[in-house]
Amino acid sequence: MDQNPIGLVFPGQGTQKAGMGEPWRETPSWEIVTAVSGVTGEDLAELLLDTPDEHLRRTDLAQLTVFTVAMVAYAEAVRRGALDGPVAAVAGHSLGEYAALTAAGALTLPDAAALVAARGRAMRDAADERPGTMGVLVAAPLEQVAELTDRVRARGAEVWVANVNAPGQTVVSGSAEGIELIGAEAPSIGAKMIRLSVGGAFHSPYMEPAAERLRTALKNTAFAPAHLPVVANADARAYAGDCDWPALATRQLTSPVLWEPSVRTLTGELGCRRLVEIGPGKTLAGLIRRIAPETGVVSLNSPAALG
């Protein structure tokens, strides 16, 4: 067995799809679905088995379903001994940070599920109050994307860098006008913009009302004083307890997700020789191959993938 240290990574919103729970429903770890339903008041089995894609795009439901599948997959991977090495650290992309905190032992499953439900509702409400959208710019360096958003904002349109995903892939967030202008000017930096089908301008100042609401829920939640290192989205630094997770998680809503630097922290400072994506899809594996091509990566996104 390979005993090189591994890092676990958990995907975020956007990886949900209809029927995503079906492969897991006959596993013992499916009991987590019942537990999350009990905490949140949502019928997660129905959402994971019988709900169409269009409905799952609703921000609060998307977050709950992705979190739940990630937790089922993680529990089943542990139960089957499918993690082929000691876990050195964990990280999650946006919403995935809550799955990471749970896997690290910083949060209990019920507390994490309650926070995910509160986060999703707060973000949905904030988006209703102040509609916005997002787009991903491909083929341009981060520095040029940041300069372009600065120029567009100087012209009075609201737009910000939201996700630093990988070399040549940066997500921007803001008003419909701001995203439209970024799209029109993207060729000037050699980029192409792809619109994202999302419910709001996430990871931007538009989420300040959500951050205010979530701050209270976070402060009322107990985080373990010591846990496996978790690389925070807000600053790409690793924390193993004795830190202010409520502040970091609140800041995450209104500031960029620093995914590319987070992966470099996992593979550099924390010494992870392989990264294991746990949850729906293969989005993070694709990004990791662009960030750290020398690092092995595997996606545990179905029971079959657990071997």
Side-chain angles (χ1 to χ4, degrees):
M1 181 178 286
D2 181 2
Q3 286 303 306
N4 285 327
I6 62 173
L8 307 183
V9 295
F10 295 88
Q13 184 176 342
T15 56
Q16 74 280 352
K17 65 177 183 177
M20 64 198 287
E22 188 63 44
W24 302 100
R25 70 186 300 183
E26 300 302 327
T27 66
S29 300
W30 185 254
E31 65 186 15
I32 285 173
V33 173
T34 303
V36 175
S37 297
V39 171
T40 63
E42 296 283 356
D43 187 341
L44 265 299
E46 181 178 342
L47 289 170
L48 292 172
L49 300 173
D50 302 315
T51 301
D53 282 325
E54 183 178 349
H55 193 51
L56 289 180
R57 280 199 291 270
R58 205 177 87 181
T59 298
D60 52 335
L61 302 183
Q63 295 194 28
L64 270 178
T65 52
V66 171
F67 169 79
T68 303
V69 169
M71 287 290 89
V72 171
Y74 171 70
E76 193 64 14
V78 171
R79 190 186 73 83
R80 297 192 189 188
L83 303 177
D84 59 346
V87 178
V90 299
H93 190 288
S94 187
L95 158 74
E97 192 159 85
Y98 290 82
L101 286 163
T102 310
L107 287 172
T108 66
L109 177 71
D111 282 348
L115 286 173
V116 168
R119 181 182 189 267
R121 288 192 300 267
M123 291 172 71
R124 183 185 176 201
D125 290 347
D128 287 344
E129 292 167 20
R130 198 175 181 190
T133 188
M134 303 173 79
V136 56
L137 283 165
V138 295
L142 171 62
E143 294 75 17
Q144 292 186 15
V145 174
E147 288 171 3
L148 176 58
T149 58
D150 288 346
R151 289 202 306 272
V152 169
R153 209 164 50 247
R155 289 159 53 185
E158 295 182 317
V159 65
W160 299 268
V161 170
N163 297 352
V164 180
N165 277 344
Q169 188 184 121
T170 305
V171 177
V172 292
S173 181
S175 67
E177 177 198 13
I179 298 300
E180 187 76 30
L181 286 170
I182 290 285
E185 303 226 358
S188 72
I189 59 170
K192 174 185 176 183
M193 192 181 78
I194 301 167
R195 296 291 188 92
L196 296 179
S197 179
V198 293
F202 304 134
H203 302 293
S204 82
Y206 276 34
M207 288 293 111
E208 190 57 49
E212 288 298 324
R213 285 179 55 185
L214 187 61
R215 183 178 287 114
T216 301
L218 286 160
K219 284 185 174 179
N220 290 332
T221 301
F223 287 78
H227 53 74
L228 270 177
V230 181
V231 181
N233 285 187
D235 60 9
R237 293 175 58 190
Y239 297 92
D242 192 25
C243 68
D244 192 345
W245 273 117
L248 288 164
T250 302
R251 179 176 156 197
Q252 188 226 67
L253 285 185
T254 57
S255 61
V257 172
L258 302 179
W259 186 248
E260 181 183 340
S262 294
V263 170
R264 297 195 190 285
T265 298
L266 286 169
T267 59
E269 171 191 333
L270 296 172
C272 298
R273 294 292 165 259
R274 297 178 70 243
L275 297 179
V276 180
E277 178 181 17
I278 300 180
K282 297 181 179 180
T283 300
L284 297 184
L287 296 178
I288 289 163
R289 289 187 182 103
R290 294 174 64 178
I291 299 164
E294 73 288 351
T295 300
V297 60
V298 64
S299 298
L300 301 185
N301 53 13
S302 69
L306 300 179

